[in-house]
Amino acid sequence: MHSFRYRDGQLHCEDVDLARVAEKFGTPRYIYSAGTILDHYRRLDAALAPLDHLICYAVKANSNRAILKLLAEEGAGFDIVSGGELYRVLAAGGDPAKCTFAGVGKSFDEIQYALEKRVYSFNVESEAELEYIDRIADAKNLHAPIALRANPNVDPRTHEYISTGSRENKFGIALDHLAAVYESAAKMPNIDIVGVQMHIGSQITEVAPFADAIKKVAPIVRDLKSKYGIKFFSIGGGLGIVYESSFASGSRDWWNADHETSAKHQLSIQEYVDAILPPLGELKLRILVEPGRLLVGNAGVLLTRVRYIKRTGPKKFAIVDAGMNDLIRPALYHSYHEIIPVRELNNPGHEKIDIVGPVCESGDFFALDREMPEVREGDLLAIMSAGAYGFVMASNYNSRSLPAEALVRGDEFALIRKRQTNKDLISGEIDPQW
Ligand SMILES: *Cc1c(COP(=O)(O)O)cnc(C)c1O
């Protein structure tokens, strides 16, 4: 399915003209395609049909309530990493009985809240956390369903900041230690052992790390099933998406659902599922998958307008109205985002340009020395694949307002978050009364 494409010389999201959106509602603004999110969810769901499975969308990738609602209505579960995320999921109509609560540093209040709401499972990352949950459950006279997070020590071959499944990371429990921690868990009176979990990293673009991790953990899962009667095995998320598309090489369709037209080979849903189905099917357990980026990454763009063109020596800069506070991925991970003009240029001349924001940091850039069609003052640009880990990492740095968000469905357009005002910026601040 193609959600962002040129039609009559203008970039559209589904059937909505992005230039008209920018004129009417302003920039910077995130725009998401509901159709793309649903398409990704449904294709993964269909591919996993041979297994008893539950897709738990990783809320941290994009937690806007409208997006959670879209997925909740499709029957999705949710992978949450904080009490705040659980609150959002419930506000969006999500089912707590389909929520798994992950994270290495759960607080007293968060554990208590998740127990009260009866989440499906606490995914526990240490023995200390396990004891803490047991004590809180005891005080509330409840039982806490838990899965331990296994760290299979595989290299996901991704950016070091988003690798989580190797011995050097703070995440999970080493495989040679896992059985012992399950034994302690079994002795805790208010703990119910219900599953095993793992998550090896993000933006993984090969099947091998997933297959290797499953191969390493499957024998342990089998053991735990016979010992404790566990119900599920969660294999985590981490499926990578296309960031570099064929747009740059002249294709008019920015993104193809099966990645067939992408310039670089990327992992497809089918390829992933084909590799994991056989070993998982044999386990005869419920399988949980926790995709974040895969569902929403390619479904969103950050729309921004060029404020100024600046030349210094041989260099040309386009200073746009979005900054690193709106989308931090290039600054944080040096990640690549395709940037394309909203108005299609015929026979564009190419030039090298830096696309930078207005924030007072040299790290405030979206592209450096990028070969682009000529960019002029006032042009609208779309920063592509910004649907995951975009808005959720936005900040008020430089006292810039959080950007607005909008959702498109067919030819309909809905504002799903207002742009903050200056008043919002200081609304939580208190003058000391001394
Ligand atoms: C972040 C996270 C995910 C989702 O990762 P993606 O790369 O966005 O798919 C899944 N599970 C856990 C435990 C996570 O922390």
Side-chain angles (χ1 to χ4, degrees):
M1 203 192 72
H2 304 212
S3 288
F4 295 93
R5 68 186 158 198
Y6 289 116
R7 193 186 295 167
D8 304 325
Q10 294 289 346
L11 189 65
H12 283 63
C13 171
E14 301 193 25
D15 297 324
V16 170
D17 179 343
L18 294 186
R20 291 182 58 182
V21 168
E23 267 145 40
K24 205 160 165 195
F25 301 103
T27 53
R29 162 181 308 275
Y30 280 94
I31 296 183
Y32 311 116
S33 153
T36 304
I37 297 170
L38 293 178
D39 174 64
H40 292 179
Y41 178 84
R42 288 171 185 160
R43 285 194 303 121
L44 181 61
D45 198 37
L48 292 169
L51 298 172
D52 172 15
H53 70 278
L54 177 64
I55 299 173
C56 292
Y57 167 61
V59 172
K60 72 175 187 285
N62 186 326
S63 58
N64 187 292
R65 225 169 58 194
I67 286 172
L68 301 181
K69 184 159 180 277
L70 203 63
L71 289 166
E73 284 169 358
E74 282 292 297
F78 297 92
D79 178 57
I80 54 171
V81 294
S82 70
E85 286 191 351
L86 177 56
Y87 183 82
R88 280 181 176 283
V89 166
L90 298 178
D95 181 357
K98 290 182 181 173
C99 284
T100 54
F101 188 5
V104 294
K106 301 175 190 76
S107 73
F108 179 87
D109 288 350
E110 288 176 323
I111 293 168
Q112 186 157 277
Y113 179 43
L115 276 170
E116 281 164 10
K117 296 297 174 192
R118 306 282 196 277
V119 294
Y120 184 58
S121 174
F122 288 85
N123 293 343
V124 176
E125 307 226 10
S126 67
E127 208 158 347
E129 184 194 332
L130 197 55
E131 284 164 9
Y132 198 47
I133 294 174
D134 182 47
R135 263 188 286 146
I136 298 170
D138 184 38
K140 295 193 77 70
N141 216 0
L142 289 171
H143 278 242
I146 68 101
L148 295 184
R149 176 165 175 176
N151 183 329
N153 193 28
V154 297
D155 178 4
R157 295 190 275 277
T158 183
H159 191 281
E160 59 174 322
Y161 287 5
I162 51 176
S163 161
T164 58
S166 89
R167 221 187 278 282
E168 283 74 36
N169 303 123
K170 67 180 174 185
F171 297 101
I173 298 165
L175 295 190
D176 52 12
H177 193 48
L178 203 60
V181 184
Y182 269 105
E183 265 171 49
S184 326
K187 290 185 196 126
M188 295 182 190
N190 293 80
I191 293 290
D192 288 343
I193 297 172
V194 294
V196 192
Q197 199 269 346
M198 67 177 183
H199 172 71
I200 58 173
S202 197
Q203 185 54 17
I204 298 168
T205 55
E206 305 164 60
V207 289
F210 293 113
D212 290 352
I214 290 170
K215 204 168 141 196
K216 281 175 103 168
V217 179
I220 302 174
V221 174
R222 235 174 249 120
D223 248 30
L224 295 168
K225 189 185 170 194
S226 66
K227 258 194 198 141
Y228 307 111
I230 60 167
K231 295 184 292 194
F232 75 86
F233 177 26
S234 168
I235 58 168
L239 282 96
I241 61 163
V242 178
Y243 282 98
E244 272 177 82
S245 78
S246 51
F247 237 129
S249 52
S251 163
R252 304 180 98 232
D253 289 321
W254 173 74
W255 182 70
N256 177 291
D258 289 317
H259 308 328
E260 281 155 8
T261 60
S262 77
K264 272 189 165 179
H265 172 76
Q266 297 280 340
L267 189 57
S268 74
I269 288 174
Q270 202 53 55
E271 210 181 327
Y272 168 76
V273 171
D274 286 347
I276 63 168
L277 270 187
L280 292 177
E282 285 169 20
L283 295 173
K284 304 214 164 18
L285 277 175
R286 185 172 216 205
I287 300 300
L288 268 56
V289 287
E290 304 165 351
R293 191 188 310 266
L294 175 80
L295 299 187
V296 295
N298 287 135
V301 302
L302 175 57
L303 204 57
T304 184
R305 198 180 282 281
V306 179
R307 279 197 187 143
Y308 304 107
I309 297 292
K310 176 172 174 175
R311 292 173 200 274
T312 48
K315 284 206 70 108
K316 180 176 174 184
F317 297 92
I319 299 158
V320 298
D321 63 5
M324 66 188 287
N325 71 296
D326 300 305
L327 176 67
I328 204 175
R329 297 188 70 259
L332 186 60
Y333 309 119
H334 271 268
S335 44
Y336 181 97
H337 284 268
E338 195 87 58
I339 301 175
I340 62 171
V342 168
R343 193 163 56 87
E344 189 177 26
L345 299 170
N346 292 315
N347 306 317
H350 278 72
E351 58 180 352
K352 275 201 170 159
I353 189 164
D354 284 10
I355 310 284
V356 302
V359 172
C360 305
E361 295 275 345
S362 295
D364 181 27
F365 61 83
F366 296 111
L368 300 176
D369 281 325
R370 181 75 58 89
E371 199 76 52
M372 291 265 301
E374 194 190 343
V375 178
R376 290 155 306 178
E377 210 172 286
D379 280 357
L380 278 172
L381 300 175
I383 303 177
M384 309 304 287
S385 303
Y389 307 105
F391 181 88
V392 287
M393 288 189 178
S395 77
N396 287 126
Y397 187 41
N398 276 210
S399 285
R400 286 169 49 82
S401 305
L402 291 179
E405 293 176 288
L407 188 63
V408 166
R409 189 181 67 177
D411 60 1
E412 296 175 295
F413 170 90
L415 183 67
I416 58 171
R417 178 190 292 272
K418 284 193 269 192
R419 185 183 314 286
Q420 276 184 322
T421 61
N422 284 343
K423 210 170 161 188
D424 294 330
L425 288 178
I426 59 163
S427 68
E429 293 172 24
I430 300 167
D431 292 326
Q433 299 297 315
W434 53 47

